[in-house]
């Protein structure tokens, strides 16, 4: 398949949006920018189109898709028994990086929800995405536009690495703003439950709807406690080389990483190090990359997946990362990094 590239790095192009909308309404696949990561879109109400997404990504079919909408009123068609929380959260955070799990209506095929009777809904904060959703019929299923198991794409170039020749179209909207997938909150329980941490923190949600819990599967050390979001159980966001997180005081972390990179060098390998602007110059015997600045946590979120992809291209033999428990997005950043590392942590 020839994958068409539409350039919208300078904003929405109406003619390109019309072409992309036609592809979606004909059951095709279009990758597009959102404020979190790039999505791989298909008509969410067309089960054959939704199935194509699973095929293109190599994604297990029990892993449900998020339905993207552009206007609040359109939520009624795809949900039932909408709780009051939904409107409150929409008023506070939509369009934005928040996904709500709600009871689904009969209009949503089980192919879209991985067989579940609930549906995840989100309104992204990106002008190209909103225009595309409207042009494509109003309900666009979109997982992150990566091959299943690879880091989510934060640029159109990352999408092309995984999807060129496999999907109909890629819309380039430039690098994304946030770089980590949306916060997912389940509104079908007694109290709202966070299934996946993201830019919208637990504290921000609690200001709007009162008490919010974290899914047990997110916090439990017990591997038999499964997360409620089916996608959270897979080893995700995985770089090709083994990744270890080194935790401890600043000085000890730096010394330990240098000892490890020296040992890797001795063995004839090349270690990659995920450092920050503040620590970049300290490391030796390794390919060292800064993920961002500890003073700007958004810069760390933005670059996490790109750095993992860069180390894949460099074919490093092992990756050592500092730990990033930043104040607001730390939970989301460390959730993704821990998964990329398969929970391999070295305490010093
Ligand atoms: O920021 C985002 O949410 C991005 C952009 C493209 O919007 N999308 C995204 O989709 O991250 P994906 O498919 O990579 O992740 C969706 C997650 C999976 O972990 C999936 O299991 C969970 O949402 N999910 C979807 N529907 C669900 C449901 N009905 N109940 C529980 N979890 C659900
Ligand atoms: Mg994903």
């Amino acid at each position: 398949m020839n994958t068409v590239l539409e350039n919208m790095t300078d904003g929405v192009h109406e003619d390109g949006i019309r072409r992309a909308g036609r592809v979606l309404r004909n059951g095709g696949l279009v990758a597009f920018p959102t404020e979190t990561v790039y999505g791989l879109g298909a008509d969410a109400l067309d089960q054959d189109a939704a199935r194509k997404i699973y095929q293109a990504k190599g994604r297990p079919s029990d892993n449900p898709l998020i339905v993207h909408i552009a206007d609040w009123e359109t939520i009624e068609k795809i949900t039932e028994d909408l709780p009051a929380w939904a409107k409150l959260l929409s008023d506070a955070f939509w369009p934005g990086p928040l996904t709500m799990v709600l009871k689904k209506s009969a209009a949503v095929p089980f192919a879209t929800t991985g067989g579940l009777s609930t549906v995840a809904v989100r309104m992204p904060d990106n002008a190209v995405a909103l225009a595309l959703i409207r042009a494509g019929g109003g309900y666009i299923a979109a997982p992150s536009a990566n091959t299943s198991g690879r880091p989510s794409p934060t640029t159109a170039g990352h999408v092309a690495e995984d999807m060129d020749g496999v999907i109909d179209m890629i819309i380039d909207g430039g690098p994304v703003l946030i770089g980590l997938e949306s916060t997912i909150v389940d509104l079908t329980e007694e109290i709202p439950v966070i299934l996946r941490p993201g830019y919208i923190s637990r504290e921000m949600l609690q200001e709007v709807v009162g008490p919010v819990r974290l899914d047990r599967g997110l916090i439990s050390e017990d591997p038999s406690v499964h997360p409620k979001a089916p996608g959270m159980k897979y080893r995700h966001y995985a770089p090709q080389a083994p990744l270890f997180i080194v935790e401890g005081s600043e000085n000890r972390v730096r010394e330990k990483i240098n000892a490890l990179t020296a040992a890797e060098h001795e063995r004839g390998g090349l270690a990659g190090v995920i450092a920050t602007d503040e620590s970049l110059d300290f490391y030796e015997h390794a390919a060292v990359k800064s993920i961002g600045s500890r003073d700007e946590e958004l810069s760390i979120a933005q670059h996490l997946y790109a750095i993992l992809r860069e180390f894949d291209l460099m074919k490093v033999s092992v990756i050592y990362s500092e730990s990033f428990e930043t104040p607001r997005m730390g939970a989301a950043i460390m959730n993704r990094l821990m998964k990329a590392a398969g929970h391999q942590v070295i305490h010093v």
Side-chain angles (χ1 to χ4, degrees):
M1 182 185 292
N2 174 38
T3 303
V4 176
L5 186 68
E6 293 277 354
N7 186 336
M8 302 198 196
T9 48
D10 57 353
V12 177
H13 290 202
E14 290 302 340
D15 48 342
I17 290 292
R18 260 194 303 278
R19 284 192 289 275
R22 209 173 303 133
V23 171
L24 290 173
R25 278 182 281 104
N26 287 330
L29 301 183
V30 177
F32 62 96
T34 80
E35 80 281 36
T36 58
V37 299
Y38 273 74
L40 178 55
D43 182 348
L45 307 187
D46 172 350
Q47 57 175 17
D48 296 327
R51 283 202 189 99
K52 279 192 202 164
I53 288 184
Y54 290 94
Q55 225 166 24
K57 282 181 62 86
R59 176 174 173 125
S61 62
D62 68 343
N63 190 1
L65 306 172
I66 296 175
V67 179
H68 294 64
I69 61 173
D71 301 283
W72 166 256
E73 312 77 60
T74 63
I75 202 168
E76 292 201 348
K77 179 169 170 182
I78 54 171
T79 57
E80 261 168 30
D81 305 336
L82 206 56
W85 290 324
K87 181 72 168 74
L88 293 175
L89 289 172
S90 164
D91 287 345
F93 301 118
W94 277 1
L98 179 70
T99 295
M100 305 186 208
V101 173
L102 300 158
K103 223 168 125 182
K104 88 171 190 69
S105 77
V108 187
F110 285 108
T112 299
T113 66
L116 297 177
S117 55
T118 54
V119 60
V121 189
R122 155 163 141 80
M123 190 190 293
D125 187 12
N126 178 290
V128 170
L130 293 170
L132 177 71
I133 293 163
R134 293 188 183 111
Y139 303 94
I140 303 302
S144 48
N146 51 288
T147 306
S148 205
R150 290 212 74 203
S152 297
T154 54
T155 66
H158 297 160
V159 177
E161 279 176 21
D162 290 8
M163 295 294 161
D164 191 30
V166 178
I167 62 175
D168 300 281
M169 188 182 280
I170 298 173
I171 303 179
D172 186 354
V176 301
L177 278 176
I178 295 178
L180 298 179
E181 303 85 347
S182 60
T183 305
I184 302 180
V185 63
D186 182 357
L187 301 183
T188 66
E189 306 263 349
E190 301 272 285
I191 68 168
V193 186
I194 294 176
L195 305 185
R196 179 173 73 183
Y199 180 88
I200 307 285
S201 66
R202 183 183 189 179
E203 291 71 29
M204 289 162 79
L205 294 171
Q206 287 183 335
E207 276 180 27
V208 179
V209 294
V212 171
R213 2 185 232 107
L214 285 180
D215 182 28
R216 281 183 55 216
L218 279 180
I219 40 187
S220 175
E221 302 266 316
D222 177 356
S224 68
V225 179
H226 290 301
K228 188 171 175 192
M232 299 293 282
K233 71 175 179 276
Y234 297 106
R235 180 170 182 251
H236 236 182
Y237 323 118
Q240 275 147 27
L243 165 61
F244 296 87
I245 301 166
V246 184
E247 268 181 11
S249 70
E250 199 177 277
N251 280 339
R252 284 186 163 200
V253 165
R254 293 177 185 186
E255 277 162 22
K256 180 69 182 177
I257 289 180
N258 270 338
L260 289 164
T261 58
E264 188 65 17
H265 184 70
E266 283 285 300
R267 283 193 290 270
L270 173 65
V273 174
I274 304 181
T276 57
D277 293 354
E278 292 79 13
S279 65
L280 193 61
D281 293 337
F282 190 86
Y283 295 107
E284 303 172 319
H285 310 298
V288 187
K289 290 184 185 289
S290 171
I291 191 171
S293 165
R294 285 192 184 269
D295 295 334
E296 285 172 62
E297 53 179 336
L298 196 53
S299 69
I300 294 180
Q302 276 167 347
H303 296 124
L304 174 61
Y305 291 142
I307 257 188
L308 296 178
R309 280 179 180 261
E310 285 168 25
F311 281 139
D312 278 354
L313 287 175
M314 289 179 71
K315 303 206 182 313
V316 295
S317 44
V318 62
I319 304 169
Y320 299 108
S321 179
E322 296 178 7
S323 170
F324 309 102
E325 270 93 9
T326 57
R328 224 182 50 72
M329 293 186 71
I333 294 168
M334 289 311 292
N335 169 265
R336 307 311 195 274
L337 190 60
M338 285 292 263
K339 281 169 56 141
H343 293 264
Q344 304 183 101
V345 181
I346 299 170
H347 295 278
V348 290

